[in-house]
Amino acid sequence: KMLDGLHFSKCFLGADGFHSKYGFTATDFSTAHLNELVLNSTDRSYVVIDNSKFSVASVVCYSRGDTVYAVITDKMPPKPIVEQLAELDIRLLLC
């Protein structure tokens, strides 16, 4: 309830998985709900995810991608994931 009145210009969230069918996922309902609330109150949202979590679906979806501005990752994901992120207009940032 406390987050309902907050606004963020940017947020950086983690993900336990990103799957083409399920989107960005978390391992528990509390984290997924918190991430969803933050994404809906943020101008520009970034999801930080390591390459091993692409094509992985965890338990709870918190975004299909429409609320995510960019993904920050350590290696280039597989081509189908790159294409899906592009279709969703999600930028891919490698670090």
Side-chain angles (χ1 to χ4, degrees):
K1 183 170 174 116
M2 190 169 66
L3 288 176
D4 286 341
L6 296 180
H7 171 262
F8 308 101
S9 57
K10 291 181 187 169
C11 74
F12 296 85
L13 301 172
D16 295 305
F18 175 79
H19 190 276
S20 59
K21 183 175 180 181
Y22 305 108
F24 295 94
T25 59
T27 57
D28 63 272
F29 288 104
S30 296
T31 301
H33 184 64
L34 178 63
N35 287 355
E36 188 176 22
L37 288 172
V38 170
L39 286 172
N40 289 326
S41 299
T42 303
D43 294 333
R44 190 167 282 185
S45 55
Y46 298 82
V47 175
V48 181
I49 184 170
D50 69 79
N51 189 54
S52 69
K53 295 178 182 170
F54 289 112
S55 300
V56 172
S58 197
V59 181
V60 187
C61 170
Y62 64 84
S63 176
R64 301 278 182 199
D66 56 326
T67 54
V68 175
Y69 174 75
V71 167
I72 301 171
T73 189
D74 58 335
K75 287 188 203 175
M76 185 65 74
K79 186 176 180 179
I81 297 294
V82 172
E83 291 170 352
Q84 182 179 12
L85 293 173
E87 286 175 18
L88 294 168
D89 198 27
I90 297 174
R91 287 124 188 97
L92 183 62
L93 307 172
L94 299 178
C95 61

Coordinates of all heavy atoms in Angstrom, one line a residue:
K1 N 0.8 -1.2 0.0 CA 0.0 0.0 0.0 C 0.9 1.3 0.0 O 0.5 2.3 -0.6 CB -0.9 0.0 1.2 CG -1.9 1.1 1.2 CD -3.0 1.0 2.3 CE -3.7 2.2 2.3 NZ -5.1 2.0 2.0
M2 N 2.0 1.2 0.7 CA 2.9 2.4 0.8 C 3.4 2.8 -0.6 O 3.6 3.9 -0.9 CB 4.1 2.1 1.7 CG 4.9 3.2 2.0 SD 6.1 2.9 3.3 CE 7.2 1.8 2.6
L3 N 3.6 1.8 -1.5 CA 4.2 2.1 -2.8 C 3.1 2.8 -3.8 O 3.5 3.4 -4.8 CB 4.7 0.9 -3.5 CG 6.0 0.3 -3.0 CD1 6.3 -1.0 -3.7 CD2 7.1 1.3 -3.1
D4 N 1.9 2.7 -3.5 CA 0.8 3.2 -4.3 C 1.0 4.7 -4.6 O 0.7 5.1 -5.7 CB -0.6 3.0 -3.7 CG -1.0 1.5 -3.8 OD1 -0.4 0.8 -4.7 OD2 -1.9 1.1 -3.1
G5 N 1.5 5.4 -3.7 CA 1.6 6.9 -3.8 C 3.0 7.3 -4.3 O 3.2 8.5 -4.5
L6 N 3.9 6.4 -4.6 CA 5.2 6.8 -5.0 C 5.4 6.8 -6.5 O 4.7 6.1 -7.2 CB 6.2 5.8 -4.4 CG 6.4 5.8 -2.9 CD1 7.4 4.7 -2.5 CD2 6.7 7.1 -2.4
H7 N 6.3 7.6 -7.0 CA 6.6 7.7 -8.4 C 8.2 7.6 -8.5 O 8.9 8.2 -7.8 CB 6.1 9.0 -9.0 CG 6.6 9.2 -10.4 ND1 7.7 10.0 -10.7 CD2 6.3 8.7 -11.6 CE1 8.0 10.0 -12.0 NE2 7.1 9.2 -12.5
F8 N 8.7 6.8 -9.5 CA 10.1 6.7 -9.7 C 10.4 7.1 -11.1 O 9.7 6.8 -12.1 CB 10.5 5.2 -9.5 CG 10.1 4.7 -8.2 CD1 9.0 3.8 -8.2 CD2 10.8 4.9 -7.0 CE1 8.6 3.3 -7.0 CE2 10.4 4.4 -5.8 CZ 9.3 3.5 -5.8
S9 N 11.5 7.8 -11.3 CA 11.9 8.2 -12.7 C 12.6 7.0 -13.3 O 12.5 6.7 -14.5 CB 12.9 9.4 -12.7 OG 14.0 9.2 -11.9
K10 N 13.4 6.2 -12.5 CA 14.1 5.0 -13.0 C 14.0 3.9 -11.9 O 14.0 4.3 -10.7 CB 15.5 5.2 -13.3 CG 15.8 6.1 -14.5 CD 17.2 6.3 -14.8 CE 17.5 7.3 -15.9 NZ 18.8 7.7 -16.0
C11 N 14.0 2.7 -12.3 CA 14.1 1.6 -11.4 C 15.0 0.5 -12.0 O 15.0 0.4 -13.2 CB 12.8 1.0 -10.9 SG 11.9 0.0 -12.2
F12 N 15.6 -0.3 -11.2 CA 16.4 -1.4 -11.6 C 16.0 -2.6 -10.8 O 16.1 -2.6 -9.6 CB 17.9 -1.1 -11.3 CG 18.5 0.0 -12.1 CD1 18.4 1.3 -11.7 CD2 19.1 -0.2 -13.4 CE1 18.8 2.4 -12.4 CE2 19.6 0.8 -14.1 CZ 19.5 2.1 -13.6
L13 N 15.4 -3.6 -11.5 CA 14.9 -4.8 -10.9 C 15.6 -6.0 -11.4 O 16.1 -6.0 -12.5 CB 13.4 -4.9 -11.2 CG 12.5 -3.8 -10.7 CD1 11.1 -4.0 -11.3 CD2 12.5 -3.7 -9.2
G14 N 15.6 -7.0 -10.6 CA 16.2 -8.3 -11.0 C 15.1 -9.2 -11.5 O 13.9 -8.9 -11.4
A15 N 15.5 -10.3 -12.1 CA 14.5 -11.3 -12.6 C 15.1 -12.7 -12.4 O 16.3 -12.9 -12.5 CB 14.2 -11.1 -14.1
D16 N 14.3 -13.6 -12.0 CA 14.8 -15.0 -11.9 C 14.6 -15.8 -13.2 O 15.1 -16.9 -13.3 CB 13.9 -15.7 -10.8 CG 14.2 -15.1 -9.4 OD1 15.4 -15.0 -9.0 OD2 13.2 -14.7 -8.8
G17 N 14.0 -15.1 -14.1 CA 13.9 -15.8 -15.5 C 13.2 -14.8 -16.4 O 12.5 -13.9 -16.1
F18 N 13.5 -15.1 -17.7 CA 12.7 -14.4 -18.8 C 12.4 -15.5 -19.8 O 13.3 -16.2 -20.4 CB 13.5 -13.3 -19.5 CG 12.7 -12.7 -20.7 CD1 11.7 -11.9 -20.5 CD2 13.0 -13.1 -21.9 CE1 11.0 -11.4 -21.5 CE2 12.3 -12.7 -23.0 CZ 11.3 -11.8 -22.8
H19 N 11.1 -15.7 -20.1 CA 10.7 -16.8 -21.0 C 9.8 -16.1 -22.0 O 9.0 -15.2 -21.7 CB 9.9 -17.8 -20.2 CG 9.6 -19.0 -21.0 ND1 8.5 -19.1 -21.8 CD2 10.3 -20.2 -21.1 CE1 8.5 -20.3 -22.4 NE2 9.6 -21.0 -21.9
S20 N 9.9 -16.6 -23.3 CA 9.2 -16.0 -24.4 C 7.6 -16.1 -24.1 O 6.9 -15.2 -24.5 CB 9.5 -16.7 -25.7 OG 9.2 -18.1 -25.6
K21 N 7.2 -17.1 -23.4 CA 5.8 -17.2 -23.2 C 5.3 -16.5 -21.9 O 4.2 -16.0 -21.8 CB 5.4 -18.7 -23.1 CG 3.9 -19.0 -22.9 CD 3.7 -20.5 -23.0 CE 2.2 -20.8 -22.8 NZ 1.9 -22.2 -22.8
Y22 N 6.2 -16.5 -20.9 CA 5.7 -16.0 -19.6 C 6.3 -14.7 -19.2 O 5.9 -14.1 -18.2 CB 6.1 -17.1 -18.5 CG 5.6 -18.4 -18.8 CD1 6.4 -19.5 -19.2 CD2 4.2 -18.7 -18.7 CE1 5.9 -20.7 -19.5 CE2 3.7 -19.9 -19.0 CZ 4.5 -20.9 -19.4 OH 4.0 -22.2 -19.7
G23 N 7.2 -14.2 -19.9 CA 7.8 -12.9 -19.6 C 8.8 -12.9 -18.5 O 9.5 -13.9 -18.3
F24 N 8.9 -11.8 -17.8 CA 9.8 -11.7 -16.6 C 9.2 -12.3 -15.4 O 8.0 -12.1 -15.1 CB 10.2 -10.2 -16.4 CG 10.9 -9.6 -17.5 CD1 10.2 -8.9 -18.5 CD2 12.3 -9.7 -17.6 CE1 10.9 -8.3 -19.5 CE2 13.0 -9.1 -18.7 CZ 12.3 -8.4 -19.6
T25 N 10.0 -13.2 -14.7 CA 9.4 -14.0 -13.6 C 10.2 -13.9 -12.4 O 11.4 -13.5 -12.4 CB 9.3 -15.5 -14.0 OG1 10.5 -16.0 -14.4 CG2 8.3 -15.6 -15.2
A26 N 9.6 -14.2 -11.3 CA 10.2 -14.2 -9.9 C 9.8 -15.5 -9.3 O 8.9 -16.2 -9.7 CB 9.7 -13.0 -9.1
T27 N 10.5 -15.8 -8.2 CA 10.3 -17.1 -7.5 C 9.2 -17.1 -6.5 O 8.8 -18.1 -6.1 CB 11.6 -17.6 -6.8 OG1 12.0 -16.6 -5.9 CG2 12.7 -17.9 -7.8
D28 N 8.7 -15.9 -6.2 CA 7.6 -15.9 -5.1 C 6.6 -14.7 -5.4 O 7.0 -13.8 -6.1 CB 8.2 -15.7 -3.7 CG 9.0 -14.4 -3.6 OD1 10.2 -14.4 -3.9 OD2 8.4 -13.4 -3.1
F29 N 5.5 -14.8 -4.9 CA 4.4 -13.9 -5.1 C 4.7 -12.5 -4.6 O 4.4 -11.5 -5.2 CB 3.1 -14.4 -4.6 CG 2.5 -15.5 -5.3 CD1 2.6 -16.8 -4.9 CD2 1.9 -15.3 -6.6 CE1 2.0 -17.9 -5.6 CE2 1.3 -16.3 -7.3 CZ 1.4 -17.6 -6.8
S30 N 5.4 -12.4 -3.4 CA 5.7 -11.1 -2.8 C 6.6 -10.3 -3.7 O 6.4 -9.1 -3.9 CB 6.3 -11.3 -1.4 OG 5.4 -11.9 -0.6
T31 N 7.7 -10.9 -4.2 CA 8.6 -10.2 -5.0 C 8.0 -9.8 -6.4 O 8.2 -8.7 -6.8 CB 9.9 -11.1 -5.3 OG1 10.5 -11.4 -4.0 CG2 10.9 -10.4 -6.2
A32 N 7.2 -10.7 -6.9 CA 6.5 -10.4 -8.2 C 5.6 -9.3 -8.1 O 5.6 -8.4 -8.9 CB 5.8 -11.7 -8.7
H33 N 4.8 -9.3 -7.0 CA 3.9 -8.2 -6.8 C 4.6 -6.8 -6.5 O 4.2 -5.8 -7.1 CB 3.0 -8.5 -5.6 CG 1.9 -7.5 -5.3 ND1 0.9 -7.2 -6.2 CD2 1.7 -6.6 -4.3 CE1 0.1 -6.3 -5.8 NE2 0.6 -5.9 -4.6
L34 N 5.6 -6.9 -5.7 CA 6.4 -5.7 -5.5 C 7.0 -5.1 -6.8 O 6.9 -3.9 -7.1 CB 7.5 -5.9 -4.5 CG 8.5 -4.8 -4.2 CD1 7.7 -3.6 -3.5 CD2 9.6 -5.3 -3.3
N35 N 7.6 -6.0 -7.6 CA 8.2 -5.6 -8.9 C 7.1 -5.0 -9.8 O 7.3 -4.0 -10.5 CB 8.8 -6.8 -9.6 CG 10.1 -7.2 -9.0 OD1 10.6 -6.5 -8.1 ND2 10.7 -8.3 -9.4
E36 N 5.9 -5.6 -9.8 CA 4.8 -5.2 -10.7 C 4.4 -3.7 -10.2 O 4.2 -2.9 -11.1 CB 3.7 -6.1 -10.6 CG 2.5 -5.8 -11.5 CD 1.4 -6.9 -11.5 OE1 1.3 -7.6 -10.5 OE2 0.7 -7.0 -12.4
L37 N 4.3 -3.5 -8.9 CA 3.9 -2.2 -8.4 C 4.9 -1.1 -8.8 O 4.6 0.0 -9.3 CB 3.7 -2.2 -6.9 CG 2.5 -2.9 -6.4 CD1 2.6 -3.1 -4.8 CD2 1.3 -2.2 -6.8
V38 N 6.2 -1.5 -8.7 CA 7.3 -0.5 -9.0 C 7.3 -0.3 -10.5 O 7.4 0.9 -10.9 CB 8.6 -1.1 -8.5 CG1 9.8 -0.2 -9.1 CG2 8.7 -1.1 -7.0
L39 N 7.2 -1.3 -11.3 CA 7.1 -1.1 -12.8 C 6.0 -0.2 -13.2 O 6.2 0.7 -14.1 CB 7.0 -2.4 -13.5 CG 8.3 -3.3 -13.5 CD1 7.9 -4.7 -14.1 CD2 9.4 -2.6 -14.3
N40 N 4.9 -0.3 -12.6 CA 3.7 0.5 -12.9 C 3.8 2.0 -12.4 O 3.0 2.8 -12.8 CB 2.4 -0.1 -12.4 CG 2.1 -1.4 -13.2 OD1 2.4 -1.5 -14.4 ND2 1.5 -2.3 -12.6
S41 N 4.8 2.3 -11.6 CA 5.0 3.6 -11.1 C 6.3 4.2 -11.5 O 6.8 5.2 -10.9 CB 5.0 3.6 -9.5 OG 3.8 3.1 -9.1
T42 N 6.9 3.7 -12.6 CA 8.2 4.1 -13.0 C 8.2 4.6 -14.5 O 7.5 4.0 -15.3 CB 9.2 3.0 -12.9 OG1 9.2 2.5 -11.5 CG2 10.6 3.4 -13.3
D43 N 8.9 5.7 -14.7 CA 9.0 6.2 -16.1 C 9.9 5.3 -17.0 O 9.5 5.1 -18.1 CB 9.6 7.6 -16.1 CG 8.7 8.7 -15.4 OD1 7.5 8.4 -15.4 OD2 9.2 9.6 -14.9
R44 N 11.0 4.9 -16.5 CA 12.0 4.1 -17.3 C 12.5 3.0 -16.4 O 13.2 3.2 -15.5 CB 13.1 5.0 -17.8 CG 14.0 4.3 -18.8 CD 14.9 5.2 -19.5 NE 14.1 6.0 -20.5 CZ 14.6 6.8 -21.4 NH1 15.9 7.1 -21.3 NH2 13.9 7.4 -22.3
S45 N 12.1 1.7 -16.7 CA 12.5 0.6 -15.9 C 13.5 -0.3 -16.6 O 13.4 -0.6 -17.8 CB 11.2 -0.2 -15.6 OG 10.5 -0.6 -16.7
Y46 N 14.4 -0.8 -15.8 CA 15.5 -1.7 -16.3 C 15.4 -3.0 -15.5 O 15.2 -3.0 -14.3 CB 16.9 -1.1 -16.0 CG 17.1 0.2 -16.8 CD1 16.6 1.5 -16.3 CD2 17.8 0.3 -18.0 CE1 16.8 2.6 -16.9 CE2 18.0 1.5 -18.7 CZ 17.5 2.7 -18.1 OH 17.7 3.8 -18.8
V47 N 15.6 -4.1 -16.2 CA 15.6 -5.4 -15.6 C 17.1 -5.9 -15.8 O 17.6 -6.0 -16.9 CB 14.6 -6.4 -16.2 CG1 14.8 -7.8 -15.6 CG2 13.2 -5.9 -15.9
V48 N 17.7 -6.3 -14.7 CA 19.0 -6.8 -14.7 C 18.9 -8.3 -14.6 O 18.3 -8.8 -13.6 CB 19.9 -6.2 -13.5 CG1 21.3 -6.8 -13.6 CG2 19.9 -4.7 -13.6
I49 N 19.5 -9.0 -15.6 CA 19.3 -10.5 -15.6 C 20.6 -11.1 -16.3 O 21.0 -10.6 -17.3 CB 18.0 -10.9 -16.4 CG1 17.8 -12.4 -16.4 CG2 18.0 -10.3 -17.8 CD1 16.4 -12.7 -16.9
D50 N 21.1 -12.1 -15.7 CA 22.3 -12.7 -16.3 C 21.9 -13.7 -17.4 O 20.7 -14.2 -17.4 CB 23.2 -13.4 -15.3 CG 22.6 -14.6 -14.7 OD1 22.6 -15.7 -15.3 OD2 22.1 -14.5 -13.5
N51 N 22.8 -14.0 -18.3 CA 22.5 -14.7 -19.5 C 21.9 -16.1 -19.2 O 21.1 -16.6 -20.0 CB 23.7 -14.9 -20.4 CG 23.4 -15.5 -21.7 OD1 22.6 -15.0 -22.4 ND2 24.2 -16.5 -22.1
S52 N 22.2 -16.7 -18.1 CA 21.7 -18.1 -17.8 C 20.2 -18.1 -17.5 O 19.6 -19.2 -17.5 CB 22.5 -18.7 -16.6 OG 22.1 -18.0 -15.4
K53 N 19.6 -17.0 -17.3 CA 18.2 -16.9 -17.0 C 17.3 -16.7 -18.2 O 16.0 -16.6 -18.0 CB 18.0 -15.9 -15.9 CG 18.7 -16.3 -14.6 CD 18.5 -15.3 -13.5 CE 19.3 -15.7 -12.3 NZ 19.4 -14.7 -11.3
F54 N 17.8 -16.5 -19.4 CA 17.0 -16.4 -20.5 C 16.4 -17.7 -20.9 O 17.1 -18.8 -20.8 CB 17.8 -15.8 -21.7 CG 18.1 -14.3 -21.5 CD1 19.4 -13.9 -21.4 CD2 17.1 -13.4 -21.5 CE1 19.7 -12.6 -21.2 CE2 17.4 -12.0 -21.4 CZ 18.7 -11.6 -21.2
S55 N 15.2 -17.7 -21.4 CA 14.5 -19.0 -21.7 C 14.1 -19.8 -20.5 O 13.9 -21.0 -20.6 CB 15.2 -19.8 -22.8 OG 15.4 -19.0 -24.0
V56 N 14.2 -19.2 -19.3 CA 13.8 -19.8 -18.1 C 12.6 -19.2 -17.5 O 12.5 -17.9 -17.5 CB 15.0 -19.6 -17.0 CG1 14.6 -20.1 -15.7 CG2 16.2 -20.3 -17.5
A57 N 11.6 -20.0 -17.1 CA 10.4 -19.5 -16.4 C 10.5 -19.8 -15.0 O 10.6 -21.0 -14.6 CB 9.2 -20.0 -17.1
S58 N 10.4 -18.8 -14.1 CA 10.3 -19.1 -12.7 C 8.8 -19.2 -12.4 O 8.0 -19.3 -13.3 CB 10.9 -18.0 -11.9 OG 11.2 -18.4 -10.6
V59 N 8.4 -19.1 -11.1 CA 7.0 -19.4 -10.7 C 6.0 -18.4 -11.1 O 4.9 -18.7 -11.5 CB 7.0 -19.7 -9.2 CG1 5.6 -20.0 -8.7 CG2 8.0 -20.8 -8.8
V60 N 6.3 -17.1 -10.9 CA 5.4 -16.0 -11.0 C 5.8 -15.0 -12.0 O 6.9 -14.4 -11.9 CB 5.1 -15.3 -9.6 CG1 4.0 -14.3 -9.7 CG2 4.9 -16.3 -8.5
C61 N 4.9 -14.7 -13.0 CA 5.2 -13.6 -13.9 C 4.9 -12.2 -13.3 O 3.9 -12.1 -12.7 CB 4.3 -13.8 -15.2 SG 4.4 -12.4 -16.3
Y62 N 5.8 -11.3 -13.5 CA 5.4 -9.9 -13.1 C 5.4 -8.9 -14.2 O 5.0 -7.8 -14.0 CB 6.4 -9.4 -12.0 CG 7.8 -9.3 -12.3 CD1 8.3 -8.1 -12.9 CD2 8.7 -10.3 -12.0 CE1 9.6 -8.0 -13.2 CE2 10.1 -10.1 -12.3 CZ 10.5 -9.0 -12.9 OH 11.8 -8.8 -13.2
S63 N 5.8 -9.3 -15.4 CA 5.7 -8.4 -16.6 C 5.9 -9.2 -17.8 O 6.8 -10.0 -18.0 CB 6.8 -7.3 -16.5 OG 6.7 -6.5 -17.7
R64 N 5.0 -8.9 -18.8 CA 5.2 -9.6 -20.1 C 6.1 -8.8 -21.0 O 6.4 -9.1 -22.1 CB 3.8 -9.7 -20.8 CG 2.8 -10.4 -20.0 CD 2.9 -11.9 -20.3 NE 1.9 -12.6 -19.5 CZ 2.0 -13.9 -19.2 NH1 3.0 -14.6 -19.6 NH2 1.0 -14.5 -18.5
G65 N 6.6 -7.6 -20.5 CA 7.5 -6.8 -21.2 C 7.0 -5.4 -21.5 O 7.8 -4.5 -21.8
D66 N 5.8 -5.2 -21.4 CA 5.2 -3.9 -21.8 C 5.6 -2.7 -20.8 O 5.5 -1.6 -21.2 CB 3.7 -3.9 -21.9 CG 3.0 -4.5 -20.7 OD1 3.6 -5.3 -20.0 OD2 1.9 -4.0 -20.4
T67 N 6.1 -3.1 -19.6 CA 6.4 -2.1 -18.7 C 8.0 -2.0 -18.5 O 8.4 -1.2 -17.6 CB 5.8 -2.4 -17.3 OG1 6.2 -3.7 -16.9 CG2 4.3 -2.2 -17.3
V68 N 8.7 -2.7 -19.4 CA 10.2 -2.7 -19.2 C 10.8 -1.9 -20.4 O 10.5 -2.1 -21.5 CB 10.7 -4.1 -19.3 CG1 12.2 -4.2 -19.3 CG2 10.1 -4.9 -18.1
Y69 N 11.7 -1.0 -20.0 CA 12.4 -0.1 -21.0 C 13.6 -0.8 -21.6 O 13.8 -0.8 -22.8 CB 12.8 1.2 -20.4 CG 13.6 2.1 -21.2 CD1 13.1 2.8 -22.3 CD2 15.0 2.2 -21.0 CE1 13.9 3.5 -23.1 CE2 15.8 2.9 -21.9 CZ 15.2 3.6 -22.9 OH 16.0 4.4 -23.7
A70 N 14.4 -1.5 -20.7 CA 15.6 -2.1 -21.2 C 16.0 -3.3 -20.3 O 15.6 -3.3 -19.1 CB 16.8 -1.1 -21.2
V71 N 16.7 -4.2 -20.9 CA 17.3 -5.3 -20.1 C 18.8 -5.1 -20.1 O 19.4 -4.9 -21.1 CB 17.0 -6.7 -20.8 CG1 17.8 -7.8 -20.3 CG2 15.5 -7.0 -20.7
I72 N 19.4 -5.3 -18.9 CA 20.8 -5.2 -18.8 C 21.3 -6.6 -18.5 O 20.8 -7.3 -17.6 CB 21.2 -4.3 -17.6 CG1 20.7 -2.9 -17.9 CG2 22.7 -4.3 -17.4 CD1 20.8 -1.9 -16.7
T73 N 22.3 -7.1 -19.3 CA 22.8 -8.5 -19.1 C 24.3 -8.6 -19.4 O 24.9 -7.6 -19.9 CB 22.0 -9.5 -20.0 OG1 22.3 -10.8 -19.7 CG2 22.2 -9.2 -21.5
D74 N 24.8 -9.8 -19.1 CA 26.3 -10.0 -19.2 C 26.7 -10.5 -20.5 O 27.9 -10.3 -20.9 CB 26.7 -10.9 -18.1 CG 26.1 -12.2 -18.1 OD1 24.9 -12.3 -18.6 OD2 26.6 -13.2 -17.5
K75 N 25.8 -11.2 -21.3 CA 26.2 -11.8 -22.6 C 25.0 -11.7 -23.5 O 23.8 -11.6 -23.1 CB 26.5 -13.3 -22.5 CG 27.8 -13.6 -21.8 CD 28.0 -15.1 -22.0 CE 28.9 -15.7 -21.0 NZ 29.0 -17.1 -21.1
M76 N 25.3 -11.7 -24.8 CA 24.2 -11.6 -25.8 C 23.3 -12.9 -25.6 O 23.8 -14.0 -25.6 CB 24.8 -11.6 -27.2 CG 23.7 -11.4 -28.2 SD 22.9 -9.8 -28.2 CE 24.1 -8.7 -28.8
P77 N 22.0 -12.7 -25.4 CA 21.1 -13.8 -25.3 C 20.9 -14.5 -26.7 O 21.3 -14.0 -27.7 CB 19.8 -13.2 -24.8 CG 19.9 -11.8 -25.0 CD 21.3 -11.4 -25.2
P78 N 20.3 -15.7 -26.7 CA 20.0 -16.4 -27.9 C 19.2 -15.5 -28.9 O 18.4 -14.7 -28.4 CB 19.2 -17.6 -27.5 CG 19.6 -17.8 -26.1 CD 19.8 -16.5 -25.5
K79 N 19.4 -15.7 -30.2 CA 18.8 -14.9 -31.2 C 17.2 -14.8 -31.0 O 16.7 -13.7 -31.2 CB 19.1 -15.4 -32.6 CG 18.6 -14.5 -33.7 CD 19.0 -15.0 -35.1 CE 18.5 -14.1 -36.1 NZ 18.9 -14.5 -37.5
P80 N 16.5 -15.9 -30.7 CA 15.0 -15.7 -30.5 C 14.7 -14.7 -29.4 O 13.7 -14.0 -29.5 CB 14.6 -17.1 -30.2 CG 15.6 -18.0 -30.8 CD 16.9 -17.3 -30.7
I81 N 15.5 -14.7 -28.4 CA 15.2 -13.8 -27.2 C 15.5 -12.4 -27.7 O 14.7 -11.5 -27.4 CB 16.1 -14.2 -26.0 CG1 15.7 -15.6 -25.5 CG2 16.0 -13.1 -24.9 CD1 14.3 -15.7 -24.9
V82 N 16.6 -12.2 -28.4 CA 16.9 -10.8 -28.9 C 15.8 -10.3 -29.8 O 15.4 -9.2 -29.7 CB 18.3 -10.9 -29.7 CG1 18.5 -9.5 -30.4 CG2 19.4 -11.2 -28.8
E83 N 15.3 -11.2 -30.7 CA 14.2 -10.8 -31.6 C 12.9 -10.5 -30.8 O 12.2 -9.5 -31.1 CB 14.0 -11.9 -32.6 CG 15.1 -12.0 -33.6 CD 15.0 -13.3 -34.4 OE1 14.1 -14.1 -34.2 OE2 15.8 -13.4 -35.4
Q84 N 12.6 -11.3 -29.8 CA 11.4 -11.0 -29.0 C 11.6 -9.7 -28.2 O 10.6 -8.9 -28.1 CB 11.2 -12.1 -28.0 CG 9.9 -11.9 -27.2 CD 9.6 -13.0 -26.2 OE1 10.4 -13.8 -26.0 NE2 8.4 -12.9 -25.7
L85 N 12.7 -9.4 -27.6 CA 12.9 -8.1 -26.9 C 12.7 -7.0 -27.9 O 12.1 -6.0 -27.5 CB 14.3 -8.1 -26.2 CG 14.5 -9.1 -25.1 CD1 16.0 -9.1 -24.6 CD2 13.6 -8.8 -23.9
A86 N 13.3 -7.1 -29.1 CA 13.1 -6.1 -30.1 C 11.6 -5.9 -30.5 O 11.2 -4.7 -30.6 CB 13.9 -6.4 -31.3
E87 N 10.9 -7.0 -30.6 CA 9.5 -6.9 -30.9 C 8.7 -6.1 -29.8 O 7.7 -5.4 -30.1 CB 8.9 -8.3 -31.1 CG 9.2 -8.9 -32.4 CD 8.7 -10.3 -32.5 OE1 7.8 -10.7 -31.8 OE2 9.2 -11.1 -33.4
L88 N 9.2 -6.3 -28.6 CA 8.5 -5.7 -27.4 C 9.0 -4.3 -27.2 O 8.6 -3.6 -26.3 CB 8.8 -6.5 -26.1 CG 8.1 -7.9 -26.1 CD1 8.7 -8.7 -24.9 CD2 6.6 -7.7 -26.0
D89 N 9.9 -3.8 -28.1 CA 10.6 -2.5 -28.0 C 11.4 -2.3 -26.7 O 11.4 -1.3 -26.1 CB 9.5 -1.4 -28.1 CG 10.2 -0.1 -28.5 OD1 11.3 -0.1 -29.1 OD2 9.6 1.0 -28.1
I90 N 12.0 -3.4 -26.3 CA 12.9 -3.4 -25.1 C 14.3 -3.4 -25.5 O 14.8 -4.2 -26.3 CB 12.6 -4.7 -24.2 CG1 11.2 -4.7 -23.7 CG2 13.6 -4.7 -23.1 CD1 10.8 -6.0 -23.0
R91 N 15.0 -2.4 -25.1 CA 16.4 -2.2 -25.4 C 17.3 -3.3 -24.7 O 16.9 -3.7 -23.6 CB 16.9 -0.9 -25.1 CG 16.4 0.2 -26.0 CD 15.7 1.3 -25.1 NE 15.0 2.3 -25.9 CZ 13.7 2.2 -26.2 NH1 13.0 1.2 -25.7 NH2 13.1 3.1 -26.9
L92 N 18.3 -3.7 -25.3 CA 19.2 -4.7 -24.8 C 20.6 -4.1 -24.5 O 21.2 -3.6 -25.4 CB 19.4 -5.9 -25.7 CG 20.2 -7.1 -25.3 CD1 19.6 -7.7 -24.0 CD2 20.3 -8.1 -26.4
L93 N 21.0 -4.0 -23.3 CA 22.3 -3.4 -22.9 C 23.2 -4.4 -22.3 O 22.9 -5.1 -21.4 CB 22.0 -2.3 -21.8 CG 21.0 -1.2 -22.2 CD1 20.7 -0.3 -21.0 CD2 21.4 -0.4 -23.4
L94 N 24.4 -4.6 -22.9 CA 25.4 -5.5 -22.5 C 26.4 -4.8 -21.6 O 26.9 -3.7 -21.9 CB 26.1 -6.2 -23.6 CG 25.2 -7.0 -24.6 CD1 26.1 -7.5 -25.7 CD2 24.5 -8.1 -23.9
C95 N 26.8 -5.5 -20.5 CA 27.8 -4.9 -19.6 C 28.9 -5.9 -19.4 O 28.8 -7.0 -19.6 CB 27.2 -4.4 -18.3 SG 26.5 -5.7 -17.3

